[in-house]
Amino acid sequence: QMCRGLLRIAEIVTAQMELSYAHYRSGTLALKRGDANAARFYYRRCVAVREEAVAAQPQNTETRLALARAIARAGDHLGAIATLDPVVRRFGHTLATVQ
């Protein structure tokens, strides 16, 4: 319980996001080098870290958007859309009505 509480501290979430950006950039570099397998590996690691950050602060829109970008880069575009649904709903829309 105490460890879960520590994961919700803003500084910890910030550190998680910095780690996720390193994974994201590594994935992008791997793509530029033509190594799709390495890129997928890094993007999946990025997604895992960002999922933890979103779980710690589910109302943090920026963190959720960053997660959606990583999910899309990992190739799961429907998953990225589903990740954005709470953000869209917060503004009074559903993804079905957004054009």
Side-chain angles (χ1 to χ4, degrees):
Q1 185 80 5
M2 186 172 86
C3 289
R4 286 190 182 139
L6 289 174
L7 291 176
R8 297 184 190 283
I9 295 173
E11 290 84 357
I12 299 297
V13 173
T14 299
Q16 285 177 308
M17 291 305 292
E18 290 300 321
L19 175 61
S20 78
Y21 287 122
H23 289 311
Y24 192 92
R25 289 188 298 268
S26 295
T28 301
L29 180 60
L31 273 182
K32 288 181 179 181
R33 291 184 173 170
D35 190 347
N37 289 330
R40 276 191 296 278
F41 170 80
Y42 285 116
Y43 289 134
R44 286 181 189 142
R45 302 262 328 240
C46 177
V47 167
V49 173
R50 288 181 182 182
E51 284 175 336
E52 291 177 16
V54 167
Q57 295 183 344
Q59 298 303 316
N60 185 324
T61 301
E62 184 61 34
T63 303
R64 188 170 291 277
L65 292 172
L67 172 59
R69 284 191 300 271
I71 291 171
R73 271 295 179 122
D76 182 4
H77 299 282
L78 293 177
I81 290 169
T83 300
L84 291 176
D85 194 50
V87 174
V88 174
R89 287 177 192 270
R90 190 174 313 145
F91 294 103
H93 302 286
T94 65
L95 289 174
T97 62
V98 175
Q99 304 266 340

